[in-house]
Amino acid sequence: MEDQRFPLYVAEQDGKKFYIVPLRGAGLWDAIWGYVALEEDLNTIKGTVFDHKGETPGLGAEITQKWFQDRFVGEKILNQSGEIVGVAVAKGNTDPSKEDNKVDAISGATITGDGVTNMIKERLSNYKNYFANQKKLALNK
């Protein structure tokens, strides 16, 4: 297995801190990638951006569209037990509560959606210890 590095970018805007995690995974035809920005609570998504090498136009390639990426804003990456579960791309999910760790899928792009789901969960899980340490530091301030 190849050694991997897991960079993390910390940004400040208007006095607030954000954590930006690079993502990479597999879609239907080839690689997909992107970034997820987390708010200072290390749970709430501030924003996402996704791209791909060769997904089907009008289907999986729609992950690059703002309307799809905006679905993730406000979603939580932790479940009720505080475990990193990411955000699943799920058919028919129209729950506006932002508390179910799911966004509505793109019709006809199931495999690409599954790739986005897996990419988010897998990549974020690599930061579990870092996130826990950041939360401890914040509590001790």
Side-chain angles (χ1 to χ4, degrees):
M1 182 171 183
E2 74 178 70
D3 289 334
Q4 293 188 36
R5 296 178 192 251
F6 298 98
L8 175 86
Y9 304 98
V10 180
E12 287 193 31
Q13 181 181 24
D14 300 327
K16 293 182 180 180
K17 189 180 283 187
F18 301 98
Y19 297 87
I20 304 163
V21 177
L23 307 169
R24 70 179 195 186
L28 173 60
W29 300 112
D30 211 326
I32 58 175
W33 59 88
Y35 294 90
V36 60
L38 301 174
E39 294 186 14
E40 202 159 4
D41 66 0
L42 294 165
N43 184 23
T44 307
I45 294 178
K46 171 73 174 165
T48 61
V49 64
F50 304 116
D51 208 344
H52 66 93
K53 183 173 181 185
E55 296 307 291
T56 307
L59 298 172
E62 297 295 291
I63 65 171
T64 64
Q65 299 301 309
K66 184 177 181 342
W67 58 262
F68 177 71
Q69 295 170 13
D70 284 350
R71 292 178 178 181
F72 292 82
V73 175
E75 288 288 339
K76 309 295 184 195
I77 65 162
L78 304 176
N79 65 13
Q80 297 294 333
S81 302
E83 300 165 334
I84 295 175
V85 295
V87 177
V89 177
K91 288 182 183 178
N93 184 63
T94 57
D95 179 9
S97 73
K98 301 286 186 179
E99 299 294 326
D100 63 353
N101 306 97
K102 296 177 184 173
V103 297
D104 196 22
I106 299 167
S107 181
T110 302
I111 295 174
T112 304
D114 291 347
V116 171
T117 297
N118 296 336
M119 171 176 72
I120 292 171
K121 182 177 181 183
E122 185 274 328
R123 287 287 128 172
L124 289 175
S125 69
N126 292 294
Y127 296 88
K128 179 181 176 180
N129 292 337
Y130 177 81
F131 292 167
N133 288 336
Q134 289 303 111
K135 288 179 181 183
K136 284 180 191 174
L137 290 172
L139 288 173
N140 292 329
K141 283 186 179 181

